[in-house]
Amino acid sequence: LQTDAFAAAAENSLHFERLKRVGQAFERAGVRFALLKGAALAFVSYPDPLLRTMSDIDIWICPGDMQLAYQAMTELGFRAYGNETRPLKLQQLALGEVQFYDDQGGLVELHWSPISGWLLKNTAGIDVAAIWSRSEELEPPALGGRILATEDVIIQLALHTAVNHRFQLAAVRSLIDIALTAKKGPADW
């Protein structure tokens, strides 16, 4: 376990350095953003940010700022990844994400919404503006950006685990994320 812990800490250090560069570029460009999933949870739900493993960085771009964010990522040297089965326009319509890779293979996903996918978009009537209005400035402020309100984090994690991944991908980690977030609170149940 110690070897795994050291490997996770090393990988997270690379993610956090990448996040710092992206956050600073977004701040300079005037891009409003909120961290999602692993990067957000590492700072607000876990006792040490290095304990929450991540394979990428997920960032919700405030509605209307995606073009600025896309330009800032390109200027940092990231390349947008295109996929015939997930074209950019389709991702935008489904409130999905744009995947960006750097020269080291680091992945940053820029999301149009914290809640994505056709099913949720067409059935749930999610008020994205209300989610944004409840978000808060992220601590430490050096990273910039925002974090969703506790209740929205829990809902986003539960929906992502159940709907997007059908309890298959890292379901135990997702349930731990939900439990730690609820415990850390405060949540308005």
Side-chain angles (χ1 to χ4, degrees):
L1 287 177
Q2 187 177 35
T3 301
D4 288 342
F6 287 141
E11 187 174 3
N12 277 5
S13 295
L14 293 173
H15 288 304
F16 294 142
E17 184 57 36
R18 187 172 293 117
L19 175 58
K20 183 178 176 184
R21 286 189 3 243
V22 169
Q24 289 171 346
F26 284 176
E27 291 289 326
R28 286 190 303 272
V31 175
R32 298 163 293 164
F33 65 98
L35 298 181
L36 300 173
K37 300 188 276 186
L41 296 169
F43 291 103
V44 298
S45 299
Y46 283 77
D48 182 333
L50 296 177
L51 295 176
R52 174 44 165 86
T53 60
M54 300 182 293
S55 58
D56 62 7
I57 299 168
D58 293 280
I59 303 173
W60 174 28
I61 303 301
C62 183
D65 287 358
M66 186 60 86
Q67 188 62 38
L68 286 172
Y70 198 105
Q71 183 177 342
M73 293 295 286
T74 303
E75 289 172 2
L76 279 176
F78 283 83
R79 295 172 316 283
Y81 174 72
N83 182 327
E84 289 180 12
T85 62
R86 296 174 56 151
L88 184 61
K89 286 290 185 189
L90 185 62
Q91 285 297 313
Q92 184 176 6
L93 289 172
L95 301 176
E97 78 270 347
V98 184
Q99 297 178 329
F100 285 89
Y101 287 90
D102 65 10
D103 291 338
Q104 292 78 40
L107 172 61
V108 177
E109 294 181 341
L110 302 185
H111 294 256
W112 269 279
S113 171
I115 312 292
S116 63
W118 293 104
L119 174 67
L120 295 171
K121 179 184 177 192
N122 293 321
T123 61
I126 296 165
D127 188 345
V128 176
I131 295 172
W132 186 265
S133 72
R134 289 188 297 268
S135 68
E136 304 165 351
E137 290 294 324
L138 179 66
E139 296 294 333
L143 291 172
R146 302 180 72 76
I147 181 79
L148 302 184
T150 301
E151 302 81 10
D152 292 324
V153 171
I154 292 169
I155 291 168
Q156 192 269 338
L157 290 170
L159 287 171
H160 185 75
T161 303
V163 175
N164 297 84
H165 291 298
R166 296 177 196 91
F167 292 103
Q168 294 176 0
L169 182 66
V172 172
R173 182 181 70 187
S174 295
L175 294 173
I176 291 169
D177 288 345
I178 291 168
L180 288 175
T181 301
K183 182 179 178 182
K184 192 98 173 190
D188 181 1
W189 298 107

